[in-house]
Amino acid sequence: LFNFSPEEAITFFAILVRFSVIFSLLPIFGDKVVPLPAKILFSVAVTMALYPGLTKMGWVKPADAVIWAASTGGIVMTIGSEVLIGLVLGFTAKLVFDTINIGSSIIGTHMGFAMASTYDNHQESNTLVVSEIQLAIATLAFLALDGHHLMLRAALESYQFCGMGQAAITELAAQRLIDITSQVLFFAIQLSAPIAVILFAVNVAFGVFAKAMPQMNVLVLSLSISAFVGLVVLYLSAPEFQAVAVNVMGHSEDWMQGMLTAMASR
């Protein structure tokens, strides 16, 4: 198993670099709560498992290491290219959960839960309670739909679209990243739209009551009613939230493939 030639050893290391960077950013795999040694061991195990298949399919050719590893500059350029691909793939996959986080934050703010924040170990920052609930639901849906298998397959097939040392920051890649970001914002607004519209109507009603009955303490009453109405709508719209979350996850593979083809410099 470890009887590698120098070319095979440095090729194995380059593959390990790409997979390590990807797994350090992927949802669930790359969470802060996952210990660093576990991430390293997982990356090494996946690389050892996939390396024979990559060479057999011809997506990775250890003989090419004679060319790109002949100089220090070639090694630095190739490893840098692998790091770049890993960063782009991991970031693109993470946008799926960022979409849900943005939409949930909008919902929590409209419900008046902006002050009811909690520390999120996954992101190492304070997040709203509503975001924690919906991220938990999205994570369960992600695992139920074999999203973790999708991410592993995307890491493997990344060599089919963008071979070793072939990644480059192109104008097309920048444009596609902008398009993906716009889709993320669109889906986030779509997630928060039902509750945002209903709570806007509730605020309009309270505005009318404040003018009709000035003696009513609208400020205190609106906070409790907005939270109650928001929770009811959140419960009733749970099936629609799951459908939108699944739709967003379905786009993740297309986003990653689009970025890989845009970055390929061949």
Side-chain angles (χ1 to χ4, degrees):
L1 179 62
F2 296 100
N3 189 22
F4 285 166
S5 65
E7 292 79 13
E8 291 173 335
I10 196 169
T11 302
F12 180 88
F13 175 74
I15 297 173
L16 176 62
V17 169
R18 179 184 293 198
F19 287 166
S20 299
V21 176
I22 291 175
F23 295 144
S24 65
L25 295 175
L26 284 181
I28 300 177
F29 296 107
D31 283 348
K32 301 293 184 181
V33 295
V34 179
L36 182 59
K39 296 179 183 179
I40 295 174
L41 289 176
F42 181 73
S43 301
V44 173
V46 171
T47 305
M48 293 178 63
L50 299 182
Y51 179 78
L54 290 171
T55 55
K56 184 177 180 180
M57 288 182 290
W59 294 347
V60 173
K61 298 178 181 179
D64 292 343
V66 177
I67 300 174
W68 59 265
S71 62
T72 304
I75 296 176
V76 172
M77 291 294 294
T78 303
I79 299 301
S81 176
E82 296 300 294
V83 172
L84 177 62
I85 296 175
L87 289 174
V88 170
L89 278 180
F91 175 75
T92 305
K94 193 174 178 59
L95 285 177
V96 174
F97 282 80
D98 289 341
T99 301
I100 299 171
N101 191 22
I102 294 172
S104 302
S105 298
I106 296 174
I107 292 173
T109 303
H110 280 285
M111 292 172 60
F113 286 168
M115 294 181 292
S117 60
T118 181
Y119 184 76
D120 185 6
N121 293 323
H122 298 273
Q123 302 181 18
E124 293 188 347
S125 62
N126 289 333
T127 58
L128 302 182
V129 177
V130 178
S131 299
E132 291 292 314
I133 296 174
Q134 294 201 326
L135 282 175
I137 297 174
T139 301
L140 294 175
F142 178 80
L143 296 174
L145 294 172
D146 289 336
H148 51 301
H149 294 165
L150 172 65
M151 298 304 175
L152 290 173
R153 189 172 71 246
L156 172 64
E157 294 179 351
S158 64
Y159 284 94
Q160 181 182 8
F161 296 95
C162 191
M164 185 175 297
Q166 295 180 350
I169 302 177
T170 62
E171 183 179 355
L172 179 59
Q175 183 61 43
R176 287 190 177 178
L177 185 60
I178 295 174
D179 295 338
I180 292 172
T181 305
S182 65
Q183 293 182 48
V184 167
L185 295 176
F186 171 77
F187 286 126
I189 295 174
Q190 188 177 7
L191 282 170
S192 61
I195 294 180
V197 171
I198 291 177
L199 291 180
F200 176 75
V202 171
N203 291 330
V204 171
F206 275 116
V208 175
F209 290 150
K211 289 294 184 181
M213 296 178 288
Q215 66 275 14
M216 177 184 294
N217 194 341
V218 176
L219 179 61
V220 176
L221 190 62
S222 62
L223 290 176
S224 57
I225 291 182
S226 296
F228 175 75
V229 173
L231 290 174
V232 172
V233 177
L234 189 65
Y235 172 77
L236 295 177
S237 62
E240 286 74 16
F241 167 78
Q242 183 178 357
V244 175
V246 170
N247 185 27
V248 174
M249 294 176 188
H251 284 76
S252 62
E253 186 174 9
D254 296 334
W255 292 348
M256 289 186 285
Q257 290 182 0
M259 289 301 301
L260 285 172
T261 54
M263 292 174 59
S265 59
R266 54 189 174 185

